[in-house]
Amino acid sequence: MQNDHLNEPQVTEAEVQAVMEKYDRESVTRNYKNWIKWLVFGVCILFSLVQLYAAFTGRVAATQLRPLHLGFVMTLVFLIYPVTKSARRDKLPIYDAILAVIAMAVCLYIALQHVELARRINKNTALDIWVGGLLIVLLFECCRRVVGLPIMVVALVFMLYAYFGQYMPGDLMHRGFSVRRIITQLVYTTEGIMGTPLGASSTFIFLFVMFGAFLERTEVGNFFIDFANAIAGHKRGGPAKVAVLASALEGTVSGSSVANTVGSGSFTIPMMKRLGYRKEFAAAVEAAASTGGQIMPPVMGAAAFLMAESVGVPYMEVVKAALIPAILYFVGIYIIIELEARKYGLEGMDKATLPKFLPLVKKNGYLILPLIVIIVFLSLGYTPIFSALVGIASCVFCDIIRHIIIGVVGALEARKARKEKISAAKIAGDVAVKTATDVVFSLDKGARNVLGVAVACGMAGIIVGMITLTGIGLTLGNSLTALAGGNAYLTLVFTMLASIILGMGVPTTANYLITSTIMAGTVMKVVGCDMLAAHMFVFYFGIIADITPPVALAAMAGSAIAKSDPFRTGLNAVKLAIAAFIVPYIFVFNNKMLFIGAQWYDILQISITSIIGMVGIGAALEGYLTRHAHLLQRIMFLAGGLLLIEPGLMTDIIGIAIVAVAFIWQVLENKRLGGKMEPSADRYKGLGLGKRIGVILSESFVMLGKLFKA
């Protein structure tokens, strides 16, 4: 099986770009060749400088910063993103130039008039209403270009509901609101577009996106891949383990599942295929690992910052709460990869071709300094804004060190090869120029990277504003409770389904805001859990929509690189990410997993038993631990694993006992029946579901008979 993929071609840069443009709307951008390129570049730099000035000084009021932030965002969207995917990308149409100017003008009107607008709230002039209406229309168009239609449809439905409320049936009926009132609510209050989501985008979300751009410029991504290769590349199933480690590390600086999948997947997926992994499994590994980046501390997805704002806790509390679930998520993927490799006899890469750990750390280990700085400052209680600014400064410092090392090494090599002497002044000059170039391009990259998040935050503000105005959140929450009959498990299942469905077309940020606004309170009421646990629940299921069929954008992107079946890739990704479907239910019922009311020994017990539980669940899903597991063993592994993930002394004792019995059973089979009975990949090929179940059942009882035969 391994030889089938030895000649697997590498993914070209053009193929990577094509995949990104197909599955990531933010990648469909114009590519100017004339002076407009530098105009856009200048606007991006100005945008970043304004944001950094506001963060450093704190002198820009929120009522000014939010519209100014949105003005830059919408202007850049009209300048950078074409009206359709098929439109020309090498020139700027006059209509987009006009829209860009109008977008900045309406936002400047709100920013410059913020004091007067606050005084005449609900008594707005006709000009105010026209400006507000124009802003809403322009934001919808920006959303169509950058984010997509689903969130537009959701926002429009909520706006229509606010207007036609008196015609709604039953509990959904309300008195209805005029166009004037809707515009006022959405534009001139802090419960609409200019509300908490955009406020978060204009402050710490922007800064952490900027931090990611600076960190990326230091080439830390290559270090992450080399680091993962040095640790796991030579081990059994090495490329898949490299994908997990690299994606977990890259996810700390990038909040995009698709971008993570395509970025590291262009390297890891072909490597996995060459060493024998099934193509659907290879694509699923990368998609599942990349999606988990949004739940991986210390720098999580943008929604995590909004969660801290919504719950009213420091961001570090969210990071701490996410730690054990995130570890379980990646451990679960790692375990299934290990079992898959054992099952099919897959080997690792040649150790001689891989980076050496200690030399790599000595040479490039300083590149992770910014991440360490972020963690330290957040842990010491500093604000996310200050921590991000210090992190950005540390990125610049690391970049200077990198260029000094490159310059000195280059000078020594030149002197050795050509007896040419390069002065320290020349090295210093080169370092200054290259560092300045990196800083400028990082400012540009950061401004571009925040556009999609900011537009999604603005649209989420529309939805939350309409929910607040109409009170439909309480109505839907009560309806959900009634539909579930007050049953806690059913309520959670319905909440999970709603989060996943919304996540199939709505960005994680907006998805989290909608579901938490409507359902987090209901979860707290029915289950009786902590507020943070309820919000974390909807946050998790919004994220894993990226790997859940039928949409599963991250899985689709991975399948495009692997040239695999998209739906099967999605199913494999769901299997790999099984922890993400189980763990949220656990921490909702037992908040200790989130460090809420837990002692150190509780955390130790939960961590150890949960990891053993993931081994049991992985063995059940893969049908393999030390040998091929038949039906009864798989049931035992699954039951024991689920009991071990549930925090509690009694469940832990029973779970360990069940998993241990199944494990000993397999050990005895290996001794008595000989060999590990490695199964063929085609074991059930061509069999229908009914026949496959029949074969599994008959096999189970045959194995029992052989084992206990006198």
Side-chain angles (χ1 to χ4, degrees):
M1 183 175 179
Q2 288 176 262
N3 297 329
D4 295 341
H5 305 291
L6 288 177
N7 298 315
E8 188 69 36
Q10 288 287 351
V11 180
T12 66
E13 191 173 334
E15 288 175 321
V16 169
Q17 183 61 29
V19 172
M20 286 293 292
E21 291 185 4
K22 183 176 181 180
Y23 296 105
D24 184 16
R25 295 187 68 91
E26 293 182 50
S27 298
V28 184
T29 59
R30 292 190 175 108
N31 184 24
Y32 299 116
K33 302 295 183 183
N34 53 15
W35 61 272
I36 298 177
K37 171 183 178 181
W38 299 107
L39 171 66
V40 175
F41 184 78
V43 174
C44 288
I45 299 299
L46 180 60
F47 181 23
S48 294
L49 291 176
V50 168
Q51 290 285 161
L52 289 173
Y53 171 81
F56 268 114
T57 65
R59 293 178 181 175
V60 184
T63 49
Q64 287 182 301
L65 182 59
R66 294 177 187 184
L68 192 60
H69 176 79
L70 186 60
F72 273 111
V73 166
M74 292 199 299
T75 298
L76 287 170
V77 168
F78 288 122
L79 292 176
I80 294 173
Y81 292 90
V83 66
T84 63
K85 283 187 176 183
S86 59
R88 286 187 63 177
R89 302 191 197 175
D90 59 347
K91 63 180 292 186
L92 176 65
I94 187 64
Y95 57 81
D96 271 350
I98 293 171
L99 288 174
V101 172
I102 294 173
M104 181 57 80
V106 296
C107 289
L108 282 175
Y109 175 86
I110 297 171
L112 297 175
Q113 296 273 323
H114 70 109
V115 176
E116 290 76 9
L117 288 168
R119 288 174 181 166
R120 60 176 183 256
I121 190 71
N122 293 326
K123 297 178 183 178
N124 297 93
T125 65
L127 179 59
D128 295 342
I129 300 303
W130 278 104
V131 167
L134 190 56
L135 174 64
I136 294 170
V137 172
L138 291 172
L139 181 58
F140 265 83
E141 173 58 15
C142 289
C143 179
R144 186 189 68 80
R145 296 190 188 196
V146 183
V147 182
L149 288 174
I151 188 174
M152 280 182 60
V153 173
V154 173
L156 185 60
V157 166
F158 275 99
M159 290 177 68
L160 291 173
Y161 172 71
Y163 184 75
F164 292 107
Q166 65 269 36
Y167 303 110
M168 294 293 106
D171 292 338
L172 293 176
M173 187 176 69
H174 61 87
R175 62 187 178 90
F177 297 92
S178 66
V179 172
R180 185 185 187 92
R181 180 72 181 87
I182 291 171
I183 291 175
T184 301
Q185 171 78 4
L186 292 182
V187 180
Y188 299 113
T189 72
T190 56
E191 295 180 338
I193 295 171
M194 304 299 169
T196 300
L198 194 67
S201 176
S202 65
T203 51
F204 38 78
I205 288 178
F206 182 92
L207 291 175
F208 274 92
V209 169
M210 180 67 70
F211 169 73
F214 271 86
L215 198 57
E216 182 182 343
R217 193 73 186 182
T218 66
E219 298 185 358
V220 72
N222 293 333
F223 171 71
F224 284 157
I225 291 176
D226 288 342
F227 184 80
N229 268 309
I231 292 177
H234 63 285
K235 296 182 183 298
R236 184 188 290 111
K241 294 173 181 176
V242 168
V244 174
L245 291 173
S247 296
L249 291 168
E250 288 184 7
T252 63
V253 296
S254 170
S256 171
S257 302
V258 174
N260 287 351
T261 300
V262 176
S264 53
S266 59
F267 164 78
T268 59
I269 291 173
M271 186 67 71
M272 281 186 267
K273 291 173 67 179
R274 278 199 298 274
L275 290 181
Y277 276 102
R278 295 172 290 123
K279 54 188 178 180
E280 283 84 9
F281 190 85
V285 166
E286 185 57 54
S290 295
T291 298
Q294 293 187 70
I295 59 173
M296 188 66 185
V299 184
M300 300 160 65
F305 295 101
L306 294 172
M307 190 189 307
E309 290 283 295
S310 300
V311 179
V313 299
Y315 174 70
M316 199 60 195
E317 288 297 311
V318 176
V319 168
K320 187 170 70 172
L323 184 60
I324 291 181
I327 290 173
L328 286 178
Y329 180 90
F330 283 102
V331 166
I333 296 175
Y334 197 91
I335 287 168
I336 293 178
I337 287 170
E338 171 68 20
L339 295 177
E340 176 91 356
R342 287 175 177 271
K343 186 175 178 180
Y344 295 117
L346 305 179
E347 299 299 327
M349 293 179 280
D350 183 359
K351 196 169 184 177
T353 65
L354 298 174
K356 301 295 187 291
F357 180 77
L358 287 178
L360 177 68
V361 172
K362 288 179 181 178
K363 181 181 177 182
N364 295 324
Y366 67 91
L367 291 176
I368 64 170
L369 176 64
L371 282 174
I372 295 172
V373 167
I374 286 278
I375 295 170
V376 169
F377 275 81
L378 286 172
S379 301
L380 292 175
Y382 289 93
T383 65
I385 292 177
F386 183 79
S387 301
L389 289 173
V390 176
I392 291 171
S394 65
C395 286
V396 176
F397 175 72
C398 286
D399 202 42
I400 292 171
I401 294 176
R402 183 170 70 93
H403 287 305
I404 289 174
I405 292 172
I406 293 172
V408 171
V409 170
L412 292 174
E413 289 178 351
R415 185 174 182 178
K416 184 178 180 180
R418 301 186 297 272
K419 309 298 183 182
E420 179 183 350
K421 186 175 181 180
I422 299 176
S423 67
K426 185 180 185 307
I427 294 174
D430 289 344
V431 169
V433 170
K434 290 177 180 177
T435 302
T437 302
D438 286 342
V439 168
V440 170
F441 279 98
S442 295
L443 292 173
D444 172 67
K445 182 76 170 176
R448 292 171 186 264
N449 287 353
V450 84
L451 299 181
V453 175
V455 170
C457 285
M459 294 301 294
I462 291 178
I463 297 166
V464 174
M466 292 297 90
I467 290 173
T468 304
L469 183 66
T470 61
I472 192 176
L474 181 62
T475 302
L476 291 177
N478 290 336
S479 300
L480 182 71
T481 306
L483 183 64
N487 183 281
Y489 287 100
L490 275 180
T491 301
L492 291 175
V493 169
F494 291 150
T495 302
M496 174 190 74
L497 293 175
S499 299
I500 291 175
I501 291 169
L502 274 172
M504 290 178 182
V506 175
T508 304
T509 306
N511 179 351
Y512 161 71
L513 287 167
I514 298 166
T515 51
S516 63
T517 301
I518 295 174
M519 288 173 279
T522 302
V523 170
M524 289 171 58
K525 177 182 174 183
V526 174
V527 180
C529 64
D530 185 88
M531 182 187 293
L532 180 57
H535 281 252
M536 192 72 77
F537 184 87
V538 298
F539 173 59
Y540 255 70
F541 286 113
I543 286 172
I544 60 174
D546 279 347
I547 55 170
T548 307
V551 179
L553 288 180
M556 297 298 172
S559 73
I561 294 174
K563 297 178 175 57
S564 62
D565 179 82
F567 189 75
R568 289 184 179 179
T569 300
L571 292 179
N572 274 278
V574 168
K575 180 179 77 172
L576 283 159
I578 190 65
F581 291 89
I582 298 172
V583 170
Y585 286 90
I586 307 305
F587 65 60
V588 161
F589 286 106
N590 191 323
N591 301 166
K592 288 182 178 181
M593 186 177 278
L594 303 181
F595 286 87
I596 299 172
Q599 302 297 325
W600 68 268
Y601 46 82
D602 294 319
I603 302 303
L604 184 63
Q605 176 191 338
I606 290 170
S607 300
I608 294 173
T609 57
S610 294
I611 290 172
I612 297 173
M614 287 310 305
V615 172
I617 291 173
L621 292 174
E622 274 296 310
Y624 192 91
L625 186 58
T626 66
R627 64 182 291 117
H628 177 65
H630 46 73
L631 181 63
L632 296 181
Q633 289 175 349
R634 292 175 80 158
I635 292 173
M636 292 176 71
F637 280 130
L638 180 62
L642 290 174
L643 286 169
L644 279 164
I645 289 180
E646 163 65 40
L649 181 60
M650 186 56 66
T651 54
D652 286 347
I653 292 172
I654 298 173
I656 287 175
I658 294 174
V659 170
V661 168
F663 172 72
I664 293 169
W665 188 350
Q666 288 214 325
V667 171
L668 291 174
E669 284 182 341
N670 286 335
K671 288 182 177 180
R672 296 193 184 186
L673 305 178
K676 293 187 178 181
M677 201 182 78
E678 298 286 357
S680 165
D682 301 323
R683 188 176 191 83
Y684 306 116
K685 187 175 180 180
L687 297 179
L689 180 61
K691 288 185 178 180
R692 189 172 298 193
I693 292 172
V695 170
I696 292 172
L697 284 170
S698 62
E699 178 189 67
S700 299
F701 289 109
V702 168
M703 292 297 296
L704 275 172
K706 287 182 178 180
L707 182 63
F708 296 108
K709 187 176 180 181

